Amino acid sequence: MSSIRLEKTYPVPKDAVWAYLIKDELLTSWCMPTKGFVLEKGQGFVFNIPPNIFFSGTFHNTVIDFEDGALLSYKCTATKPKLDTIVKWTLIEKNSTTQLALEHSGFKSTQWLTKIMLKSGWKKMMYSHLYETLVKS
């Protein structure tokens, strides 16, 4: 199994970044339209985007674990393409900045194209959308 690993440092305190990971409306503003997120183990929520030839349009997620302000992990599944992975966010505050690390794991060797597409999307969301959103707020 292989993983996507990305890191980005944001010029804001950890609490600001954390809020953008756990609140539907804030998560929607930089990531994907989100519905039903509650910071509770076992809680299900979805990301929805318009479907296309490669993707059904919906990621089904379930919160696995969290440490308030420091760690969030959730199971991420989809039917097209068939996906059964784990997304893990880790936050570390350093001198009023926040280092955000993403690990999206569980890709099978046959899912190399899915992994490439998702890595591209995560980069765009983390490096551009979230960064610009946090700097403007």
Side-chain angles (χ1 to χ4, degrees):
M1 301 261 179
S2 66
S3 301
I4 296 168
R5 289 184 179 86
L6 300 170
E7 289 184 5
K8 177 73 177 162
T9 299
Y10 302 95
V12 297
K14 186 167 66 168
D15 290 346
V17 178
W18 181 247
Y20 278 85
L21 295 177
I22 64 164
K23 295 183 180 178
D24 276 357
E25 68 279 2
L26 297 178
L27 193 50
T28 294
S29 74
W30 70 273
C31 188
M32 289 175 267
T34 309
K35 186 175 180 181
F37 185 92
V38 176
L39 191 59
E40 182 178 305
K41 289 180 184 179
Q43 177 65 40
F45 66 101
V46 296
F47 291 134
N48 283 306
I49 61 173
N52 61 44
I53 192 168
F54 302 107
F55 181 55
S56 64
T58 303
F59 289 106
H60 297 276
N61 306 290
T62 304
V63 175
I64 297 170
D65 197 13
F66 66 91
E67 293 174 28
D68 199 31
L71 172 114
L72 171 64
S73 65
Y74 48 88
K75 183 174 184 175
C76 179
T77 64
T79 56
K80 179 183 173 188
K82 180 81 171 138
L83 193 66
D84 189 3
T85 57
I86 303 293
V87 174
K88 180 180 176 184
W89 299 99
T90 307
L91 297 86
I92 299 171
E93 190 168 44
K94 297 178 184 178
N95 302 321
S96 298
T97 67
T98 304
Q99 178 185 354
L100 179 64
L102 163 72
E103 181 178 4
H104 191 162
S105 62
F107 295 96
K108 297 175 184 171
S109 60
T110 57
Q111 295 178 308
W112 59 271
L113 182 58
T114 300
K115 182 181 165 193
I116 288 170
M117 292 170 59
L118 287 172
K119 184 174 185 176
S120 174
W122 280 128
K123 277 184 174 180
K124 186 175 184 180
M125 289 183 279
M126 284 179 67
Y127 296 177
S128 296
H129 298 164
L130 181 56
Y131 184 85
E132 291 166 8
T133 301
L134 286 166
V135 170
K136 289 179 187 175
S137 60

